[in-house]
Amino acid sequence: MRIAELSFLAVDDHLPQRGVMLDMLASLGATKVAVATDGAAALDIVRAPGAPVDIIISDLDMPGMDGMEFIRHLGQAALPVSLILASVLERSLLSSVETMTRAYGVRILGVIEKPVTRAKLEALIKLHVAVVQRKAGLDAALDTGLSAAGPSFTIDEIVAGLGSDEFEPWFQPKVDLATGQMTGAEALARWRHPKLGIVAPFAFISLLENNGLIDMLTWVMLRKAAVFCRQWRAASALDVSVSVNLSIKSLAEPRLAARVAEVVCGEDLDPRHMVLELTESAATTDVGLALENLARLRMKGFGLSIDDYGTGYSSMQQLTRISFTELKIDQSFVTNAARQPSARVILKSSLDMARKLKIASVAEGVETRQDRDLLGRLGCQLAQGFLFARPMETGALLHWNGDLLGARERSL
């Protein structure tokens, strides 16, 4: 996809700056560029039939409908456009608007502080191209077997699928940033539907939780993840641990720890090779039972990971209450750290805290080399995300790791 094939909309009430933007876009090869002086005029353009806009470059402080209201309307209309913000406002405010834009569901490529430079503008336009191409590739992959939107299911259909042993773990590697080697894998639920192929977890997780049946899936995931991990280790194929998610609601069951141990040890996997991942709020539902279960699990040798760190209200308190062995930093801080100073401060402080507490740090949602390089400089130990690999079946995981080791040996 070339820049000449893209359609642009420049939204700015300041005539000289609009002129600079138009000249800059023309120098980059853009041939289809519309202009608007405020959000209302811009909305009329993007809503016009037969002339879709690919990229909007918008100021924020404009008379009439300002940039923030314009963004709200874009989100409400669910228009498939990419947005670049260009403004003279202070960086902290721009970061807040960037977060607001994502909350409205608008795809934002980035923020440029005025004066806009050709290099920064070109980099964000190329990011749009990469995002669109990646989405097209993912859509093609989904068409070959992974039901994304797919049909909806009833709870009875999901329970029947569990009863027919149609659910299984797929695995996403955790990679050591210093060595490039895989040290673990997170087990993520998939439904191998007899007619629809592979069904993603959003189609069944919420229904199971809302109907109090999530433990049916938990036991399947624990058992099958333990089996695969034991097989990997027995064959000396992978010297790794496996991570399994525990639902918040499971922690209120008095015998949870004992049953988890029975299931995992019953498959001949040492609990030291399994990490149980919990969301930050997990220990606030029924504090006494939750803490007892988690303490028993640590006593039996299981690792405990605080998942999505940074998104809850009592993160530090949880770290003092529970003997965690791993801290997983939420992907929102990872993906924003390279361009948002506030996100970078939170990321750095989280990594510093994990280091001082002597627990492993894992960055979630790593998608770019820029993310990986920044994490390495900040001292993060482990990472997972699409930059390394998407979730995959156990056979594919073994092949992926073999290719990884082969590439590493060739580079030595």
Side-chain angles (χ1 to χ4, degrees):
M1 180 185 294
R2 297 178 299 111
I3 290 179
E5 299 171 8
L6 299 174
S7 178
F8 294 86
L9 171 60
V11 189
D12 199 315
D13 66 303
H14 194 257
L15 179 60
Q17 296 200 26
R18 276 205 317 275
V20 170
M21 181 64 67
L22 293 176
D23 290 343
M24 209 173 289
L25 286 169
S27 73
L28 291 170
T31 59
K32 296 178 284 187
V33 184
V35 296
T37 57
D38 71 354
L43 275 177
D44 289 340
I45 292 172
V46 296
R47 286 172 171 168
V53 174
D54 297 301
I55 300 176
I56 300 169
I57 306 163
S58 180
D59 194 6
L60 285 174
D61 189 9
M62 298 178 289
M65 183 187 292
D66 65 18
M68 287 183 282
E69 184 179 353
F70 173 52
I71 292 167
R72 168 158 46 86
H73 287 295
L74 281 179
Q76 291 171 344
L79 295 168
V81 299
S82 292
L83 177 68
I84 297 172
L85 294 178
S87 177
V88 295
L89 296 174
E90 61 184 77
R91 182 68 220 189
S92 61
L93 178 54
L94 292 177
S95 294
S96 296
V97 174
E98 188 174 4
T99 303
M100 177 206 79
T101 302
R102 290 192 173 87
Y104 279 133
V106 177
R107 180 198 297 152
I108 182 165
L109 300 174
V111 177
I112 303 176
E113 296 179 58
K114 291 182 177 180
V116 177
T117 66
R118 187 180 188 277
K120 289 180 180 178
L121 183 61
E122 183 178 21
L124 292 180
I125 294 172
K126 288 181 177 179
L127 178 58
H128 167 85
V129 174
V131 168
V132 170
Q133 290 176 339
R134 184 173 63 189
K135 184 178 184 301
L138 178 57
D139 288 344
L142 291 173
D143 288 341
T144 64
L146 183 63
S147 297
S152 58
F153 299 95
T154 66
I155 188 63
D156 290 340
E157 289 173 322
I158 297 169
V159 170
L162 284 164
S164 299
D165 198 29
E166 294 168 4
F167 287 76
E168 62 189 49
W170 281 29
F171 299 94
Q172 186 173 39
K174 293 180 180 178
V175 176
D176 186 311
L177 288 173
T179 66
Q181 292 182 310
M182 179 168 68
T183 62
E186 180 179 359
L188 300 162
R190 296 291 186 269
W191 182 2
R192 191 176 292 277
H193 195 281
K195 295 181 180 178
L196 301 173
I198 302 300
V199 177
F202 62 80
F204 51 83
I205 292 289
S206 295
L207 271 171
L208 286 170
E209 287 189 326
N210 293 339
N211 286 274
L213 299 173
I214 191 63
D215 282 351
M216 293 183 67
L217 179 62
T218 298
W219 304 128
V220 170
M221 293 294 291
L222 282 168
R223 181 178 61 80
K224 291 189 175 183
V227 168
F228 284 128
C229 189
R230 186 246 304 154
Q231 290 173 348
W232 300 336
R233 301 186 66 83
S236 300
L238 292 175
D239 182 18
V240 299
S241 63
V242 67
S243 299
V244 179
N245 290 281
L246 271 187
S247 169
I248 294 171
K249 299 183 179 181
S250 300
L251 291 170
E253 168 55 47
R255 289 199 70 254
L256 175 76
R259 187 168 178 192
V260 169
E262 288 169 7
V263 170
V264 174
C265 295
E267 300 299 340
D268 293 326
L269 180 70
D270 190 317
R272 292 180 300 115
H273 302 312
M274 180 173 283
V275 178
L276 302 170
E277 296 193 3
L278 306 122
T279 55
E280 284 187 33
S281 57
T284 64
T285 51
D286 191 331
V287 176
L289 274 175
L291 293 179
E292 180 180 345
N293 272 316
L294 295 172
R296 288 186 186 280
L297 288 167
R298 280 295 297 125
M299 188 167 61
K300 294 175 185 297
F302 289 94
L304 294 179
S305 176
I306 182 167
D307 199 7
D308 298 332
Y309 183 80
T311 59
Y313 296 102
S314 54
S315 309
M316 294 185 192
Q317 185 182 43
Q318 304 295 32
L319 286 169
T320 62
R321 284 176 166 179
I322 301 166
S323 182
F324 283 107
T325 58
E326 180 182 277
L327 184 149
K328 293 191 77 174
I329 300 169
D330 185 71
Q331 64 179 17
S332 63
F333 298 109
V334 174
T335 55
N336 290 331
R339 58 182 181 272
Q340 284 190 4
S342 57
R344 188 159 57 250
V345 168
I346 293 172
L347 174 62
K348 184 178 185 303
S349 64
S350 299
L351 293 171
D352 289 342
M353 183 166 55
R355 194 158 40 246
K356 290 174 181 176
L357 291 172
K358 295 181 172 56
I359 61 177
S361 55
V362 183
E364 296 183 283
V366 180
E367 296 191 357
T368 68
R369 293 183 182 275
Q370 185 182 28
D371 294 338
R372 183 195 62 187
D373 293 344
L374 176 60
L375 289 164
R377 291 196 299 272
L378 294 178
C380 185
Q381 293 172 274
L382 307 173
Q384 66 182 95
F386 290 171
L387 176 66
F388 306 105
R390 295 179 180 275
M392 63 190 95
E393 298 174 86
T394 182
L397 183 73
L398 293 173
H399 284 299
W400 178 87
N401 188 61
D403 291 343
L404 185 71
L405 292 175
R408 187 169 181 271
E409 289 174 358
R410 289 192 294 272
S411 67
L412 295 177

